[in-house]
Amino acid sequence: MHVISRRSLRAFWERHPDAEAALEAWFHEAKRAHWASSADIKARYGTASIIGSERVVFNICGNRYRLIVRVNYESQALFIRFVGTHKEYDKIDARTV
């Protein structure tokens, strides 16, 4: 998968250093992945929440943080839409962010 953009992950872990290792690990694993459907993502990340046909919410750092991506399975691209704390996540709509 092509992950767009790592810069947003880096900006988040600069504010929350405890998230760096988990976000780096997720990034490298996602980059190597070939997910054809949400079932492929759920098979690897059982706690991920599938929202609609193209949004996925990942729990980061033991569920301290949330990562929302938009997935284009056809082009094998992941677009980072949100990285934040639970408090920040509660203020947004994961379907539209």
Side-chain angles (χ1 to χ4, degrees), residues 1 7 13 27 31 36-37 46 51-52 59 67-68 72-73 75 78 85 87-88 94-95:
M1 301 293 285
R7 183 179 304 142
W13 78 54
F27 174 81
K31 202 168 117 173
S37 70
I51 300 176
N59 298 316
L67 168 64
I68 301 174
N72 185 316
Y73 297 103
S75 66
L78 295 172
T85 65
K87 186 176 181 180
E88 294 165 335
R95 289 174 175 81

Side-chain angles (χ1 to χ4, degrees), residues 36-75:
S37 70
S38 59
D40 292 342
I41 295 173
K42 283 295 277 185
R44 172 61 188 101
Y45 294 97
T47 61
S49 299
I50 308 301
I51 300 176
S53 62
E54 60 180 30
R55 300 281 170 137
V56 181
V57 180
F58 293 94
N59 298 316
I60 303 295
C61 280
N63 207 19
R64 280 192 301 246
Y65 305 114
R66 295 285 177 97
L67 168 64
I68 301 174
V69 300
R70 185 172 65 82
V71 184
N72 185 316
Y73 297 103
E74 187 176 320
S75 66

Side-chain angles (χ1 to χ4, degrees), residues 1-30:
M1 301 293 285
H2 182 66
V3 182
I4 305 167
S5 127
R6 185 174 183 215
R7 183 179 304 142
S8 57
L9 299 178
R10 186 178 301 119
F12 183 78
W13 78 54
E14 286 175 356
R15 292 189 328 264
H16 301 276
D18 62 319
E20 182 175 3
L23 287 171
E24 279 279 12
W26 177 89
F27 174 81
H28 290 293
E29 187 168 332

